[in-house]
Amino acid sequence: MVRISRRRPARPAQLASVTRVMGVKAIPPAARVYIGCALLGAAGCVLPALRPGAQTPWSAVALLAALYTVCELPTHCRLLGRALGGSAPMGAGSFFPVLLSSALLLPPSAAALTALPGALLARVERRPAGVRRAWRTAQLVIAVWAAAMVAGALDGRLALGGGPHHPDFPYVLLPAAACALTFCLVLTALDGGVRTAAEGVPPRTAWRGLGRALAPHAVHGLAGLMMAVLWRSTYGPVAALFVLLPMYISCWVFAQYHREHAAHRATIRALVQAVDIKDRYTRGHSERVGRASVLIARELGMEEDRLEVVRFAGILHDVGKLGVPTRVLRKDGPLTPEERRIIELHPEYGHEMVRGIGFLGEARSAILHHHERMDGSGYPYGLSGAQIPEFARVVAVADAFDAMTSTRCYSRARPVEKAVAELERCAGTHFDPRMVRALVRALDRYGWSSAVTADEPRPPETDVPPTRTRTPETRPPDPAPPGRQTPASGPAFRAGDVRAPGPVSPDGAVPAPGHAPPGRQAPASGHVPPGRQVPASGSASREGAVPAAGHGPAGARRAAGQEDRAAGGRAGHAAPPRRGRA
Amino acid sequence: MRAGGAIPGAVRAAALALTLAGFASTLWNGVDEPGHALAFGVLIALGELARRGALPGDREPAPLASAGALAYALLGESAGGGTSHGVLQIVAVVVAGGLAGLVPHIARGSGPDLDHLARRILSVGFAALCFQPLYNAGAVTTVLGHGPSYALFLLLLLLLTALCDAVLAALMLRARKGYPYGPLLREELRALLGIGSAVCATGAVMALGVAVAGLWALPVFCVPLLLTQVSFRRFTAVRTTNRQTIASLARATEIAGYTSPGHARRVAALSGAVGRELGLSEPDLTVLEYAALMHDIGQLSLVDPVPEGATALLPAEEQRRIALLGGAVVRQTGVPAAVAVIVERQADPYHEQPLPARIVRTVNAYDDLAAGSACGALTALERLRLATARDHHPEVVESLARVLARGDGAGSIAPVPPG
């Protein structure tokens, strides 16, 4: 079962590298020495301000330091949370306008001092906390000091004006830009150094984040400049505070964005999981098909955002199985033609389900057409050749490949070579040869592993013996007596009540004019198998597909795989499958 | 439109009158400080252009234009020198800039919300009316000088303007939708804390920035607000996507034949309307919407569907069992835990339920009874009323009756966006 991590601590990604370094538990000696040196350097930056007679502007230092600390404190911000519904904590170490404005306003060592309390008190997300805290402090102090040095060298403090003197625009933009750039460079350099020392990352990769970090630092630099200008003006520090509000809100909203994004990923996983629950043969199948689809698409040279879409197409290609009655999916024994027709409706069900999800784009037609074949013998529309959408051709190959290489109850996994040979045999008739070749090339290059993340953390499923056990979470408050029948057998049930399986409208399911053969009909009520009206015998429905419930009896799983056979002897399933009873 | 329909008309008429007066006066008297007028006009036009890509859920689609308009209304000094533009000129510049920025949008067929535009004109006029006569008479600088109290005075004025705007917005929403006034006003005030406060702060900062540094302040000082706009937009986008995905998950039960087509969507829309009627806040309404969409998802765990998907007709124990199964599924998705609680408790007696669960229970029962051809709408309501001893909360049933009488439950069901 996929573990859903709600409320992953979120933070502005570009600026948070400070807290992300040192992913190892035991800190190697080289890193210790490096951090020690940084601490010494930071102390060297701060000390001149503490000497007697240093003329440090203490009130400004105290105000700015307090401001930075307040911004960095791990607040959940209830007031704002009500405005958007829910609140996630903001990331620490990402609020730099205050530091940049103090670098512009104050002499270097005094500016370095303002970073000290905030960096020491802010939240640390990973352990070892003490070392990380010390390292972050040293890093920020040195960066602010360097930025203030550069700003001072360019006469930034003079250009800001002050009191009745007006700031020297546009010249003052130069020290501000130099200040932000220095700050960004020093942070990235120190970060890269500690990565190299602690994790053995090659120095070149350590610099890779620089490009992405520049733009946010430029924005923070502008905000810092505004703060500094207003701070020096007759309106005083109060006016400077106004600048922080939009910055603070945007940082906070960014954290909420990450929270919502994680929630969305979880929802997609839940969709996939719901399919896994109904069709237990194919655990992990969706995720692997997504992966194989990306392999093919990347080999075809698709762009990054299309790769993401093709991944979703692969992951969600069987989502329509949610619409197929569980009784048919799990049927024990051969399928009747009627049941086969119902199972073959799953691409249309899937398309009907996801057509409201805007971001899926092309993936929706891939879900509709992933059982089409190149020679036109597939379903639902019998499209052939280039009529089949590109993504659908990709997903069809990935689907067949994973079906062959993964172990199912009725058939053992085949080696990759055999599966590839089978795919190549059917290329041109079933599959697009271009996609098959792309998959072969990708397999040569990257290899294939069938492990999925869905395999890893699912203790309640693998540990529970295959009996009808329930976890306490899903246990009803008053367990029904053992002899109780399913709801369908209750008095509310009316025999002969045949209903249409779903609102599959013809216009909704047809992707483009001219794609559908004229004779095609929307699924009608006649598709419902007689089995659906029969009251369930015994407590079959009670072992329903509760996510946390144990596996059903192994025999019940068999029929699910028949969809693959119903798909018309998909590459290599010609031999009758072995039915392995547990 | 019912009794409140006069208010939007009056607001639009007032905005139009103010605009015409502004243009007439500006044409007659000429423009004071044309450089500033041009700079702010361009800023507002650019802010309107940045409206592009706004989603329907955005509260403030063009924050930069709003902030620029407020800053121009509160502009006193510029780089040390005074200014002398009046209220009517401010209105004229704001409208001209806004219209210039809107032309591409109108050409593409996505015109702005006229109510929103009228409100902005009125609130800018209000802010200018509070500030400019005092400033031009010299009263502001003599009393407050150029210190921090001047900055605080600007902030106070902006706060007042925002409050008036919120009151107006709630009034107009009430007139258009017929929801109770109190919760609407609360929602508007709450929204002020989000992008609204960023707009106000930027307006004040720009006015002060121009006072200190001249027109150079405009391009520099609008950057943080642009960042805020981008953040809000990304947030809205991902939230919309999430909502669509949840709706799809909810439709799984329909496609599987467990529930009647459109049931989840109808229950969600009607629950939202009842929730508003009962004064739920916006975040609570979101939770309610998700719960209503997914309330039947427990049926996916059944091997055989319930006839007609009408859980309301099942024995109570069975209903609760399905509800618990549904809660277990909902916990797997990324929605807040409160949603799962509502889904789990939808079949409990109403005394033990939280309010959103009561709403979902009642609306679901109504839809099962009314849409499942068991009986008509009135008979369904009557049956709900008869069950108010244990199953349905009387107040919720009455709210539902009011919503149905108004007819906005069925009307507000948004069609599924085309693929």
Side-chain angles (χ1 to χ4, degrees):
Chain A
M1 193 88 2
V2 184
R3 195 164 51 84
I4 310 292
S5 60
R6 285 193 204 90
R7 313 255 323 230
R8 206 168 54 85
R11 61 193 165 210
Q14 291 92 340
L15 301 178
S17 51
V18 186
T19 52
R20 213 181 296 139
V21 293
M22 307 183 297
V24 285
K25 285 265 161 56
I27 301 167
R32 280 175 193 279
V33 172
Y34 185 83
I35 293 172
C37 289
L39 281 172
L40 281 180
C45 293
V46 171
L47 278 178
L50 303 175
R51 269 191 328 225
Q55 289 183 334
T56 307
W58 282 111
S59 60
V61 169
L63 252 173
L64 283 166
L67 206 56
Y68 181 62
T69 313
V70 167
C71 288
E72 285 292 341
L73 278 182
T75 44
H76 275 266
C77 203
R78 269 161 201 275
L79 271 178
L80 278 171
R82 289 213 202 104
L84 279 191
S87 169
M90 288 187 4
S94 56
F95 207 82
F96 296 147
V98 182
L99 294 185
L100 288 170
S101 73
S102 66
L104 282 168
L105 281 169
L106 301 173
S109 51
L113 214 51
T114 56
L116 205 58
L120 278 177
L121 289 175
R123 194 171 54 134
V124 177
E125 276 158 14
R126 283 159 49 182
R127 297 169 66 177
V131 183
R132 281 173 196 278
R133 218 175 273 264
W135 163 247
R136 181 175 59 195
T137 310
Q139 196 185 17
L140 284 179
V141 164
I142 294 173
V144 172
W145 181 82
M149 283 299 272
V150 169
L154 290 170
D155 280 338
R157 275 190 291 281
L158 214 66
L160 283 177
H165 302 286
H166 293 290
D168 183 10
F169 268 101
Y171 171 75
V172 74
L173 288 172
L174 177 69
C179 182
L181 185 69
T182 313
F183 189 76
C184 178
L185 283 176
V186 171
L187 276 189
T188 314
L190 289 173
D191 223 29
V194 86
R195 267 166 194 274
T196 312
E199 295 173 352
V201 178
R204 193 169 297 173
T205 54
W207 279 98
R208 212 166 269 167
L210 181 65
R212 278 194 319 162
L214 272 179
H217 277 91
V219 175
H220 285 217
L222 276 181
L225 171 66
M226 287 158 57
M227 264 193 80
V229 164
L230 287 177
W231 189 285
R232 278 285 176 81
S233 74
T234 51
Y235 303 111
V238 176
L241 277 182
F242 298 173
V243 177
L244 281 183
L245 195 61
M247 294 302 292
Y248 191 81
I249 288 178
S250 78
C251 277
W252 181 82
V253 173
F254 201 71
Q256 308 316 305
Y257 162 79
H258 278 284
R259 183 192 58 138
E260 193 78 15
H261 194 67
H264 180 237
R265 277 200 304 261
T267 309
I268 293 269
R269 269 200 303 268
L271 259 175
V272 174
Q273 238 173 326
V275 181
D276 277 1
I277 287 162
K278 284 194 103 162
D279 189 357
R280 292 191 181 137
Y281 267 114
T282 53
R283 187 167 302 285
H285 173 63
S286 303
E287 194 181 327
R288 286 192 301 266
V289 172
R291 205 140 37 95
S293 302
V294 171
L295 278 184
I296 296 172
R298 186 172 288 143
E299 202 61 39
L300 293 175
M302 288 186 193
E303 289 139 31
E304 204 58 39
D305 48 341
R306 284 189 89 204
L307 285 186
E308 188 66 4
V309 174
V310 86
R311 194 171 69 83
F312 278 115
I315 288 178
L316 293 174
H317 73 283
D318 266 348
V319 79
K321 280 191 181 168
L322 280 176
V324 179
T326 315
R327 189 161 292 286
V328 179
L329 276 184
R330 297 196 190 157
K331 190 186 170 194
D332 193 0
L335 292 171
T336 64
E338 185 72 0
E339 288 163 341
R340 179 160 303 174
R341 266 173 61 207
I342 291 172
I343 284 184
E344 287 186 358
L345 283 175
H346 82 266
E348 285 168 274
Y349 287 157
H351 181 259
E352 174 62 22
M353 273 183 68
V354 300
R355 78 188 165 90
I357 309 181
F359 85 101
L360 284 180
E362 280 184 278
R364 290 177 289 194
S365 63
I367 290 166
L368 180 60
H369 293 298
H370 73 273
H371 279 302
E372 305 281 4
R373 289 184 186 167
M374 293 303 277
D375 59 5
S377 63
Y379 60 92
Y381 295 152
L383 302 184
S384 61
Q387 282 180 315
I388 307 171
E390 190 180 22
F391 278 17
R393 283 176 272 153
V394 172
V395 172
V397 172
D399 187 18
F401 174 72
D402 184 68
M404 285 189 281
T405 53
S406 57
T407 301
R408 304 201 166 177
C409 291
Y410 55 86
S411 70
R412 275 245 200 79
R414 302 163 178 229
V416 170
E417 300 77 43
K418 274 197 180 170
V420 165
E422 194 64 43
L423 284 178
E424 279 170 341
R425 193 173 66 77
C426 298
T429 53
H430 293 189
F431 306 117
D432 185 345
R434 217 173 110 235
M435 309 302 168
V436 176
R437 281 197 300 271
L439 178 65
V440 174
R441 278 201 308 273
L443 290 175
D444 285 344
R445 197 172 302 180
Y446 307 107
W448 177 250
S449 114
S450 60
V452 291
T453 52
D455 281 341
E456 289 153 11
R458 45 175 230 245
E461 292 238 329
T462 42
D463 301 344
V464 173
T467 51
R468 272 169 240 137
T469 49
R470 283 174 189 281
T471 57
E473 192 190 0
T474 57
R475 185 186 293 279
D478 46 348
R484 253 204 39 235
Q485 296 291 298
T486 61
S489 63
F493 170 70
R494 284 176 292 167
D497 182 10
V498 178
R499 286 176 301 117
V504 183
S505 57
D507 56 341
V510 178
H515 267 205
R520 191 197 148 262
Q521 285 181 343
S525 51
H527 287 169
V528 179
R532 260 170 100 185
Q533 273 79 46
V534 178
S537 58
S539 54
S541 75
R542 299 236 30 220
E543 77 198 35
V546 188
H551 284 302
R557 298 184 215 156
R558 265 185 271 162
Q562 285 169 346
E563 183 268 318
D564 295 330
R565 282 164 280 143
R570 166 195 295 165
H573 279 279
R578 279 187 299 272
R579 308 211 153 169
R581 273 192 190 273
Chain B
M1 277 305 108
R2 291 181 337 283
I7 293 174
V11 167
R12 286 184 185 188
L16 188 66
L18 192 59
T19 307
L20 290 178
F23 277 118
S25 144
T26 312
L27 285 178
W28 188 258
N29 296 328
V31 182
D32 295 325
E33 289 106 23
H36 286 73
L38 187 68
F40 275 95
V42 168
L43 178 72
I44 293 168
L46 289 177
E48 285 293 346
L49 277 178
R51 179 192 284 269
R52 183 178 185 148
L55 293 157
D58 278 356
R59 282 208 93 90
E60 174 62 271
L64 193 56
S66 298
L70 287 175
Y72 192 49
L74 298 183
L75 184 64
E77 306 200 342
S78 174
T83 60
S84 58
H85 57 290
V87 177
L88 290 175
Q89 179 181 331
I90 290 170
V91 172
V93 167
V94 166
V95 173
L99 287 183
L102 281 174
V103 166
H105 298 292
I106 295 170
R108 257 188 298 114
S110 60
D113 180 8
L114 281 182
D115 284 352
H116 196 268
L117 214 60
R119 256 175 43 216
R120 182 189 302 157
I121 294 169
L122 285 186
S123 56
V124 166
F126 175 80
L129 200 62
C130 287
F131 180 76
Q132 293 295 347
L134 284 178
Y135 176 81
N136 287 340
V140 177
T141 36
T142 39
V143 176
L144 297 172
H146 291 288
S149 45
Y150 182 88
L152 288 175
F153 175 63
L154 288 194
L155 198 67
L156 191 73
L157 279 185
L158 281 173
L159 211 64
L160 208 60
T161 310
L163 283 180
C164 288
D165 189 47
V167 168
L168 204 59
L171 267 178
M172 290 177 84
L173 257 184
R174 168 163 170 68
R176 292 253 181 254
K177 302 257 174 83
Y179 303 137
Y181 185 70
L184 280 179
L185 182 61
R186 204 176 56 206
E187 253 1 280
E188 289 294 328
L189 292 178
R190 184 169 289 167
L192 276 186
L193 289 173
I195 190 111
S197 61
V199 167
C200 282
T202 307
V205 161
M206 278 184 178
L208 295 173
V210 173
V212 174
L215 288 177
W216 268 104
L218 288 186
V220 176
F221 282 36
C222 70
V223 170
L225 190 61
L226 275 179
L227 193 71
T228 316
Q229 180 179 357
V230 170
S231 303
F232 264 94
R233 215 168 260 187
R234 285 182 71 177
F235 176 75
T236 319
V238 75
R239 170 159 276 193
T240 309
T241 305
N242 199 8
R243 184 168 293 187
Q244 288 171 349
T245 311
I246 288 169
S248 295
L249 186 59
R251 263 142 58 91
T253 54
E254 298 169 10
I255 286 167
Y258 289 108
T259 55
S260 65
H263 171 70
R265 208 148 41 81
R266 283 195 305 271
V267 172
L270 209 48
S271 295
V274 173
R276 277 185 196 284
E277 185 76 23
L278 289 169
L280 289 188
S281 66
E282 203 66 50
D284 290 344
L285 283 174
T286 305
V287 166
L288 177 65
E289 184 194 352
Y290 288 167
L293 278 173
M294 297 199 278
H295 74 275
D296 267 335
I297 213 148
Q299 294 194 44
L300 278 183
S301 311
L302 303 178
V303 172
D304 289 300
V306 177
E308 298 279 345
T311 45
L313 309 173
L314 291 177
E317 274 172 26
E318 197 55 41
Q319 287 186 30
R320 285 164 85 166
R321 194 175 75 80
I322 295 174
L324 285 173
L325 294 177
V329 176
V330 171
R331 282 186 202 283
Q332 306 289 319
T333 67
V335 297
V339 177
V341 172
I342 297 174
V343 171
E344 272 167 7
R345 303 185 61 183
Q346 58 175 319
D348 292 354
Y350 81 81
H351 297 289
E352 301 162 19
Q353 281 178 317
L355 178 61
R358 290 175 184 172
I359 296 175
V360 170
R361 168 166 204 171
T362 304
V363 173
N364 178 38
Y366 169 78
D367 195 73
D368 282 349
L369 290 170
S373 72
C375 49
L378 287 177
T379 326
L381 267 179
E382 202 47 47
R383 282 183 66 175
L384 293 182
R385 288 201 174 105
L386 288 176
T388 47
R390 176 181 181 276
D391 293 344
H392 300 293
H393 192 265
E395 202 183 320
V396 173
V397 176
E398 287 321 306
S399 300
L400 174 65
R402 281 199 298 278
V403 167
L404 289 170
R406 266 209 311 270
D408 65 3
S412 65
I413 296 176
V416 178

